[in-house]
């Protein structure tokens, strides 16, 4: 079956004060129907930019798609007109963002903000859209939807606002939902609720989800496949369980070992908390012809410093871009 | 090979030099500064270099600029306009600066007290501020000047007494914000007295917007004084730009330059101050700039 | 219910403020050396002390301060603002004759400045480096830095004396005959230059603020959400961004009423506009205490009403204001 979304050799450039930097450098991946994919990486690795590029929402004068293709349902979005992209946004591909506190317009009711996307894309009338909004609030488990539909965002908590965002995003039954760090700004308990909600909704609607996060724990909960990003490049890709058990890139191994383990027996001996030494390279250092992780890597060899590693494929479409992928320890 | 380096990742610059750098980059602000400097120099040394008495009738009235050796011409009484402008510059700058100082002193004091203390003191001060905000400023100053005499100190006082609310508002907002910050809490927890807290801990950090507003206050004080002297409420022994416009106003049919030129002088001065104020704003509040 | 409570609280505060204005001004007039009797004496060409004393007693000027203050406030509450010695008219009549002209000028200037300011701000926010945006910056500096009476005089010279599009002075042309609309147009013609002069200062402030808030709003998260919904550009800008950008401008306008009234005084002088400004000037020179107090009272009243209206409009625009009360 043809993939729903196919990204080929995507290169996104950002204009910075020091020149042009490739925030995404030759990225390729596929997303199928009803699949759940997660992009993982530290801040600044370009994962949000990928999402914005798919939506056609790169910041106007600063970012642009330099080369590559984004093929959605057979159509190349990089060559689509703005009008066509607007048809797709909110309708076939939706996005929710990290900051629920500021992502809703403070001067309109949440009902209005949900109804508006239905009126625009599905041509629903005012009353029909209003009622559909109430149904959606119900679907995202907001109690008392009939009265809350007329509330303003400032009358709701962060978790509730994020649910409203999910309602808006899923209103038109999109094929893909992109969630950019949806729970980072929320409490841990609320996080769990949101994940449950997303999982259930996905089961009901069959929407594919791309979740962007820096939290390995979230990946383990939500995704079937994951892509690990580092400095604008794909470091590793593959089924989540397989990678967690046997990561083939030193960065991934580092990320996994960073997650603290809760011991069931508090007095038992604890594994030491590790860290990945050093920091991510700045935007100016992206795009170099070498492995960008080599400066922080314990396995780095001569080749790593002078040649960009190729993508090596293992079983189950497990890929790793590392010169030492075959023997990662 | 692990990264092992004890150098700081980013080189820090002192906030003052950082602000100066930003300021210098703003051409308009620098232009304003240069113009101001020229005006100040002109006001300081002008009378020495051009000793014509501004009150003396030296030629026939309404001589146009450039004629008969008078660079700016003469006014309705035949007095040299250029020397009037030069002497007027002194008055303008002195009153502008002093009134701004009065404004800032009153405004910062009230704003600081209102922003630092809670409860009754804050309420009372806020009501007083609201009251002065509602008072029609020019009318009130007119009344003060008319009643208590139009001397330079009185004019300065009259302007200062009605203009302080903007500074007070900004000061209070900053104090409210800063007093909740951690380093203030820490200072308080270690027993610093209220007085010291206000002036040595909070105030230095509240300075950037206050400084910007103070610069703009000089400009508005100059405009205020111009308004008062335009209406004739000024010391008759002193020439002021607004006053030149006011006294020559009835004769605009005969000659317009006598009102145009002094107005231009006021405009350029206040413009220069506004540009510098804007530059200060960009330099001292960088986060607003990085959009 | 909540709304009523808020209105009553506001009105209550307004009344207190007005009382404070009265007390302050009365005290001030009292503190000053000399009083209105001296002025009368001057206009009479001098009089001896006995006569002056008699006049003082007649006007109750010999009673202790607090008694005078109390009496004054009492009269004000019964709408009696006293009698103008200079104009020989009850102050209330005198002021009401001229109040409408000033109200017209002040409110017309504010509204014009706000509307044009917002329009300019919104348009130039979309292209921050374009021609219009630079024009807004330049114009803003000019409008703010030029003394309002100078702007007025320049406009007068340009458009009344040289090109003669607009009348030179006053509010009406007494020679004009006709029905309501003819007079309306006549007043409008007279109104143009004074309003434009007065508005120029605030137009500068409002357009700059509108542009800044609009730019901030356009870069906000909720505008990003609106774009992510696939909404057309126009809807994103005018429905989502604009409403948020209005609140600060309206707030600023409310704070500027006092300055607008001050500016109106100067503009009225330049254009001989028959409002409170010209009245104020003359009565201050004449030491006509009751009139001065009356004018201060009414101008404070104008500012307070302006503030209340602004508050009201703000509530309509921003629902968060409704909650705070």
């Amino acid at each position: 079956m043809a993939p729903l979304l196919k990204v080929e050799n995507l290169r996104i450039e950002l204009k910075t004060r020091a020149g042009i930097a490739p925030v995404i450098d030759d990225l390729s991946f596929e997303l199928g129907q009803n699949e759940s994919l997660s992009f993982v990486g530290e801040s600044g690795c370009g994962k949000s930019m990928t999402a914005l590029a798919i939506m056609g929402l790169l910041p106007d004068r600063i970012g642009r798609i330099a080369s590559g293709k984004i093929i959605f349902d057979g159509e190349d979005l990089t060559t689509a007109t703005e009008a066509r992209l607007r048809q797709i946004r909110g309708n076939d591909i939706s996005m929710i963002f990290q900051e629920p506190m500021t992502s809703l317009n403070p001067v309109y009711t949440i009902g209005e903000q949900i109804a508006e996307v239905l009126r625009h894309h599905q041509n629903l009338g005012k009353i029909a859209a209003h009622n559909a909004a109430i149904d959606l609030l119900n679907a995202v488990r907001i109690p008392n939807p009939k009265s809350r539909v007329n509330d303003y965002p400032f009358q709701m908590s962060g978790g509730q606002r994020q649910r409203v965002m999910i309602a808006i995003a899923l209103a038109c039954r999109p094929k893909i939902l992109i969630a950019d760090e949806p729970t980072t700004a929320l409490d841990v308990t609320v996080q769990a609720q949101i994940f449950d909600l997303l999982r259930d909704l996905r089961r009901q609607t069959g929407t594919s989800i791309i979740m962007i996060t820096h939290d390995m724990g979230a990946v383990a909960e939500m995704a079937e496949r994951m892509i690990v990003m580092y400095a604008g490049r794909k470091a590793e890709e593959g089924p989540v369980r397989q990678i967690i058990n046997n990561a083939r890139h030193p960065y991934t191994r580092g990320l996994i070992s960073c997650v603290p383990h809760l011991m069931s027996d508090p007095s038992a001996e604890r594994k030491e908390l590790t860290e990945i030494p050093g920091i991510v390279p700045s935007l100016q250092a992206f795009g170099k012809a070498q492995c960008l992780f080599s400066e922080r890597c314990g396995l780095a060899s001569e080749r790593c410093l002078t040649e960009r590693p190729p993508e090596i494929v293992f079983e189950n479409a497990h890929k790793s871009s590392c010169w030492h992928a075959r023997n990662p320890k | 090979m692990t990264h092992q380096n004890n150098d700081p990742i980013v080189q820090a610059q002192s906030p003052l030099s950082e602000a100066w750098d930003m300021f210098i980059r703003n051409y308009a602000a620098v232009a304003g500064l240069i113009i101001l400097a020229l005006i100040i120099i002109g006001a300081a040394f002008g009378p020495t270099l051009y000793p014509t008495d501004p009150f003396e009738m030296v030629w026939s009235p309404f001589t146009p600029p450039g004629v008969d050796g008078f660079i700016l011409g003469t006014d309705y009484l035949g007095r040299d306009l250029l020397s009037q402008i030069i002497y007027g510059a002194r008055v303008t700058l002195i009153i502008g600066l002093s009134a701004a100082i009065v404004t800032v002193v009153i405004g910062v004091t009230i704003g600081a007290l209102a922003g630092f203390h809670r409860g009754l003191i804050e309420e009372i001060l806020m009501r007083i501020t609201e009251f002065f905000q509602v008072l029609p400023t020019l009318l009130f100053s007119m009344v003060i000047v008319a009643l208590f005499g139009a001397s330079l100190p009185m004019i300065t006082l009259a302007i200062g007494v009605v203009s302080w609310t903007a500074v007070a508002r900004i000061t209070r907002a900053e104090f409210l914000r800063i007093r909740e910050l951690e380093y203030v809490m820490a200072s308080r927890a270690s027993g610093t007295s209220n007085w010291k807290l206000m002036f040595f801990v909070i105030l230095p950090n509240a300075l950037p917007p206050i400084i910007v507003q103070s610069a703009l206050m000089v400009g508005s004080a100059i405009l205020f004084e111009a308004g008062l002297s335009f209406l004739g409420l000024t010391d008759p022994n002193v020439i002021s730009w607004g006053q030149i416009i006011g006294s020559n106003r009835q004769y605009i049919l005969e000659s317009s330059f006598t009102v145009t030129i002094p107005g231009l002088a006021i405009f350029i001065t206040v413009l220069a101050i506004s540009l510098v104020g804007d530059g200060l704003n960009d330099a001292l509040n960088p986060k607003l700039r990085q959009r | 219910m909540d709304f009523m409570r808020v209105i009553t609280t506001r009105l209550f505060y307004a009344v207190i403020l007005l009382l404070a204005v009265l007390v302050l001004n009365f005290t001030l007039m009292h503190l000053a050396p000399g009083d209105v009797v001296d002025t009368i004496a001057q206009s009479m060409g001098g009089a001896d002390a006995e006569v002056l004393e008699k006049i003082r007693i007649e006007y109750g000027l010999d009673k202790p301060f607090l008694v005078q203050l109390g009496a004054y406030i009492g009269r004000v509450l019964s709408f009696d603002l006293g009698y103008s010695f200079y104009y020989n008219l009850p102050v209330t009549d005198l002021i009401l004759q001229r109040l409408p002209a000033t109200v017209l000028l002040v409110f017309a200037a504010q509204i014009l400045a706000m509307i044009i300011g917002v329009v300019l701000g919104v348009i130039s926010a979309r292209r921050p480096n374009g021609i219009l945006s630079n024009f807004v910056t330049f114009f803003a500096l000019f409008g703010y830095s030029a003394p309002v009476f100078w702007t007025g005089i320049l406009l007068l010279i340009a458009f009344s004396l040289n090109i003669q599009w607009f009348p030179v002075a006053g509010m009406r042309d007494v020679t004009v005959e006709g029905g309501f609309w003819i007079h309306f147009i006549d007043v409008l013609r007279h109104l143009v230059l004074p309003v434009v002069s007065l508005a120029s200062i605030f137009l500068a402030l409002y357009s700059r603020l509108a542009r800044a808030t609009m730019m901030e709003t356009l870069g906000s998260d909720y505008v990003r959400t609106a774009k992510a919904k696939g909404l057309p550009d126009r809807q994103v800008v005018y429905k989502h961004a604009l409403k948020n950008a209005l609140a600060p401008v309206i707030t600023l306008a409310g704070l500027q009423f006092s300055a607008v009234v001050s500016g109106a005084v100067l503009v009225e002088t330049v254009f001989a506009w028959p409002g409170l400004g010209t009245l104020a000037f003359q009565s201050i020179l004449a030491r006509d205490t009751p009139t001065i107090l009356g004018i201060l009272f009414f101008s404070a009243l104008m500012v307070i009403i302006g503030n209340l209206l602004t508050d009201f409009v703000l509530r309509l625009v921003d629902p968060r204001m409704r909650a705070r009360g």
Side-chain angles (χ1 to χ4, degrees):
Chain A
M1 195 163 50
L4 186 56
L5 179 71
K6 187 172 161 129
V7 172
E8 279 175 16
N9 308 108
L10 184 65
R11 182 181 163 94
I12 302 176
E13 284 173 1
L14 276 190
K15 225 188 267 181
T16 67
R17 257 200 230 153
I20 297 189
V23 68
I24 287 288
D25 187 9
D26 197 20
L27 176 66
S28 302
F29 69 91
E30 285 178 15
L31 177 72
Q33 303 263 17
N34 205 348
E35 243 204 296
S36 170
L37 173 67
S38 184
F39 272 80
V40 201
E42 291 167 276
S43 315
C45 67
K47 34 192 217 293
S48 292
M49 285 291 154
T50 313
L52 291 176
I54 297 174
M55 296 282 281
L57 284 178
L58 286 176
D60 224 347
R61 264 144 282 185
I62 308 176
R64 69 180 196 103
I65 299 179
S67 62
K69 295 196 190 147
I70 301 176
I71 304 177
F72 171 64
D73 229 4
E75 189 182 346
D76 186 1
L77 296 183
T78 56
T79 57
T81 59
E82 180 62 23
R84 174 68 188 132
L85 286 174
R86 263 185 263 135
Q87 270 179 342
I88 295 178
R89 275 182 223 143
N91 198 7
D92 297 309
I93 308 181
S94 291
M95 189 159 169
I96 61 177
F97 302 93
Q98 181 177 337
E99 310 89 347
M101 296 306 276
T102 49
S103 292
L104 289 170
N105 195 327
V107 299
Y108 292 106
T109 62
I110 55 161
E112 166 60 28
Q113 298 189 50
I114 302 177
E116 125 183 275
V117 74
L118 288 165
R119 288 201 307 265
H120 178 73
H121 286 295
Q122 296 184 345
N123 270 323
L124 287 186
K126 256 184 128 178
I127 304 183
H130 185 81
N131 291 333
I134 299 180
D135 289 337
L136 282 163
L137 283 179
N138 207 3
V140 294
R141 300 177 194 156
I142 289 192
N144 273 330
K146 272 220 177 70
S147 70
R148 305 226 72 181
V149 75
N150 293 320
D151 277 354
Y152 288 93
F154 70 86
Q155 293 169 289
M156 299 186 123
S157 71
Q160 288 171 331
R161 288 187 219 194
Q162 196 62 301
R163 290 170 198 272
V164 172
M165 291 294 294
I166 294 175
I168 295 175
L170 294 178
C172 300
R173 304 219 160 229
K175 303 200 176 84
I176 302 180
L177 169 65
I178 306 179
D180 190 353
E181 311 238 26
T183 56
T184 306
L186 301 171
D187 289 338
V188 175
T189 43
V190 181
Q191 273 188 34
Q193 291 170 5
I194 298 286
F195 284 145
D196 283 341
L197 179 62
L198 283 173
R199 268 198 304 265
D200 290 343
L201 287 175
R202 193 177 141 241
R203 240 196 318 269
Q204 289 167 25
T205 61
T207 310
S208 297
I209 297 189
I210 298 180
M211 191 176 69
I212 300 175
T213 179
H214 61 265
D215 179 2
M216 268 301 191
V219 177
E221 274 208 62
M222 283 295 297
E224 292 150 10
R225 275 175 52 229
M226 64 192 271
I227 296 181
V228 179
M229 300 284 298
Y230 188 78
R233 295 179 180 161
K234 196 192 331 179
E236 190 161 0
E237 175 183 356
V240 171
R241 289 275 150 245
Q242 192 169 323
I243 292 187
I244 289 185
N245 289 332
N246 183 20
R248 289 188 176 276
H249 192 290
Y251 178 57
T252 318
R253 299 185 82 88
L255 280 182
I256 293 175
S257 70
C258 283
V259 179
H261 297 269
L262 280 179
M263 308 297 281
S264 53
D265 179 3
S267 62
E269 199 181 315
R270 253 165 270 213
K271 280 203 204 140
E272 212 173 275
L273 201 59
T274 55
E275 61 160 20
I276 311 176
I279 53 166
V280 285
S282 69
L283 203 51
Q284 270 69 271
F286 281 29
K288 288 205 212 130
Q290 63 169 105
C291 173
L292 292 169
F293 185 65
S294 48
E295 267 141 48
R296 306 166 74 182
C297 185
L299 300 178
S301 57
E302 188 64 37
R303 213 171 183 194
C304 304
L305 295 169
T306 52
E307 285 176 62
R308 180 177 171 174
E311 199 169 63
I312 307 177
V313 186
F314 300 89
E315 67 279 355
N316 290 331
H318 182 166
K319 307 173 189 163
S320 169
S321 303
C322 174
W323 287 115
H324 302 273
R326 292 188 203 283
N327 18 310
K329 298 214 213 318
Chain B
M1 194 168 45
T2 37
H3 176 89
Q4 201 137 79
N5 199 330
N6 287 322
D7 287 341
I9 295 165
V10 177
Q11 286 292 8
Q13 210 183 354
S14 99
L16 207 58
S17 73
E18 217 179 305
W20 177 249
D21 273 348
M22 274 237 72
F23 187 84
I24 288 287
R25 263 189 253 163
N26 186 340
Y27 299 132
V30 172
L33 199 57
I34 296 179
I35 295 178
L36 262 185
L38 289 173
I39 296 177
I40 295 178
I41 295 177
F45 297 108
T48 348
L49 296 171
Y50 194 82
T52 315
D53 185 348
F55 289 101
E56 203 182 307
M57 293 179 241
V58 287
W59 207 250
S60 50
F62 301 125
T63 315
V67 171
D68 297 334
F70 287 101
I71 305 179
L72 290 180
T74 62
D75 73 346
Y76 73 107
L77 284 178
R79 305 184 292 196
D80 189 339
L81 198 58
L82 178 59
S83 69
Q84 287 192 337
I85 298 274
I86 293 178
Y87 276 83
R90 290 185 158 192
V91 176
T92 302
L93 291 173
I94 292 177
I95 294 192
L97 199 59
S98 347
I101 292 178
V102 172
T103 306
V104 170
V105 166
I106 301 180
V108 169
T109 312
I110 294 189
L113 287 170
F116 185 81
H117 293 103
R118 291 307 176 80
L120 195 57
I121 299 185
E122 186 193 15
E123 271 304 306
I124 296 180
L125 288 175
M126 286 317 295
R127 296 302 142 229
I128 295 181
T129 312
E130 259 178 45
F131 172 71
F132 274 89
Q133 255 169 241
V134 154
L135 215 51
T137 48
L138 187 67
L139 283 172
F140 195 66
S141 308
M142 281 164 73
V143 171
I144 295 181
V145 169
L147 291 182
F148 295 97
S151 62
L152 289 194
M154 191 49 71
I155 296 179
T156 307
L157 195 64
I159 298 178
V161 154
V162 297
S163 311
W164 56 265
T165 52
V167 179
R169 263 204 312 274
I170 291 183
T171 310
R172 173 173 177 252
E174 281 296 288
F175 267 67
L176 281 179
R177 178 183 70 89
I178 297 177
R179 83 193 284 275
E180 304 303 324
L181 292 178
E182 274 129 19
Y183 59 87
V184 175
M185 303 276 210
S187 223
R188 232 212 234 123
S190 64
T192 321
S193 72
N194 275 349
W195 170 256
K196 281 212 187 119
L197 264 182
M198 270 178 26
F199 281 94
F200 293 107
V201 178
I202 304 184
L203 188 58
N205 288 287
L207 278 181
I210 297 179
I211 292 180
V212 175
Q213 189 67 22
S214 310
L216 296 175
M217 281 288 130
V218 177
S220 75
I222 291 179
L223 287 172
F224 209 115
E225 186 277 330
L228 285 174
S229 52
F230 170 73
L231 293 172
L233 293 166
T234 187
D235 190 339
N237 300 319
V238 152
I239 297 266
S240 144
W241 291 340
Q243 185 213 51
I244 304 176
I245 302 182
S247 37
N248 283 290
R249 185 165 76 94
Q250 325 156 7
Y251 308 102
I252 48 177
L253 281 174
E254 277 119 56
S255 75
S256 56
F257 67 89
T258 42
V259 294
T260 322
I261 295 178
L264 202 60
I266 303 176
F267 169 61
I268 293 178
T269 312
V270 177
L271 182 65
I273 296 177
S274 306
L275 288 175
V276 170
D278 267 357
L280 281 175
N281 195 16
D282 286 342
L284 293 174
N285 294 324
K287 51 182 152 76
L288 292 175
R289 192 77 168 122
Q290 274 153 21
R291 281 270 164 193
Chain C
M1 257 308 109
D2 219 11
F3 191 54
M4 287 312 298
R5 185 156 48 101
V6 169
I7 294 220
T8 14
T9 332
R10 284 266 186 283
L11 282 177
F12 181 67
Y13 266 131
V15 169
I16 305 261
L17 272 178
L18 284 173
L19 273 175
V21 171
L22 279 176
V23 170
L24 178 72
N25 294 320
F26 192 87
T27 317
L28 210 60
M29 308 281 330
H30 219 83
L31 283 174
D35 59 18
V36 65
V37 176
D38 292 320
T39 322
I40 298 180
Q42 268 186 332
S43 59
M44 289 197 306
D48 61 36
E50 248 187 62
V51 178
L52 288 180
E53 208 43 46
K54 272 178 67 181
I55 302 184
R56 284 211 174 86
I57 298 179
E58 214 183 291
Y59 286 121
L61 290 172
D62 59 328
K63 299 235 181 59
F65 172 71
L66 282 174
V67 173
Q68 287 194 47
L69 178 61
Y72 182 71
I73 295 185
R75 276 178 306 204
V76 172
L77 289 175
S78 55
F79 299 119
D80 172 15
L81 283 169
Y83 193 84
S84 162
F85 310 119
Y86 188 73
Y87 293 95
N88 272 319
L89 277 177
V91 172
T92 324
D93 292 351
L94 191 57
I95 292 186
L96 286 178
Q97 251 176 28
R98 301 185 150 228
L99 185 63
T102 303
V103 170
L104 177 62
L105 184 58
V106 166
F107 281 89
Q110 273 279 55
I111 294 177
L112 186 73
M114 267 200 280
I115 295 181
I116 300 189
V118 169
V119 167
L120 282 180
V122 168
I123 301 179
S124 52
R126 321 247 355 239
R127 267 182 242 284
N129 295 317
I131 301 179
L132 188 64
S133 183
N134 286 323
F135 171 74
V136 165
T137 314
F138 172 73
F139 180 70
L141 284 173
F142 180 92
Y144 177 74
S145 311
V148 69
F149 53 88
W150 186 60
T151 315
I153 292 180
L154 289 180
L155 284 174
L156 195 59
I157 295 178
F159 294 106
S160 292
L161 297 178
N162 288 343
I163 311 188
Q164 295 188 356
W165 275 350
F166 298 105
V168 173
M171 186 164 98
R172 277 181 212 274
D173 193 348
V174 278
T175 62
V176 161
E177 301 280 320
F180 172 76
W181 286 110
I182 308 270
H183 282 290
F184 182 74
I185 305 263
D186 182 41
V187 170
L188 220 56
R189 275 187 74 225
H190 284 86
L191 187 61
V192 170
L193 291 184
V195 163
V196 169
S197 313
L198 187 53
S200 66
I201 308 175
F202 305 100
L203 176 57
L205 287 177
Y206 302 158
S207 61
R208 274 224 315 191
L209 183 62
R211 180 180 59 186
T213 47
M214 197 61 186
M215 279 173 67
E216 204 181 305
T217 316
L218 285 175
S220 66
D221 288 342
Y222 51 83
V223 164
R224 179 181 57 179
T225 306
K227 287 189 195 161
K229 287 184 192 172
L231 298 174
D233 232 14
R234 209 172 342 122
Q235 211 176 335
V236 172
V237 171
Y238 292 108
K239 182 179 172 197
H240 285 267
L242 183 58
K243 214 175 172 203
N244 281 283
L246 280 180
V249 179
I250 296 179
T251 311
L252 182 64
L255 289 172
Q256 295 293 350
F257 263 105
S258 168
V260 181
V261 170
S262 296
V265 171
L266 294 168
V267 168
E268 285 183 16
T269 314
V270 171
F271 290 97
W273 186 261
L276 288 183
T278 32
L279 182 65
F281 185 55
Q282 288 155 1
S283 48
I284 286 176
L285 285 183
R287 298 292 209 95
D288 188 359
T289 317
T291 313
I292 300 175
L293 286 178
I295 294 177
L296 284 168
F297 178 76
F298 266 94
S299 29
L301 184 64
M302 234 191 307
V303 173
I304 291 178
I305 292 184
N307 281 341
L308 285 175
L309 283 176
T310 311
D311 243 5
F312 181 68
V313 172
L314 205 53
R315 273 157 192 283
L316 286 179
V317 164
D318 190 341
R320 289 169 292 187
M321 297 285 137
R322 287 177 224 160
R324 261 179 242 157

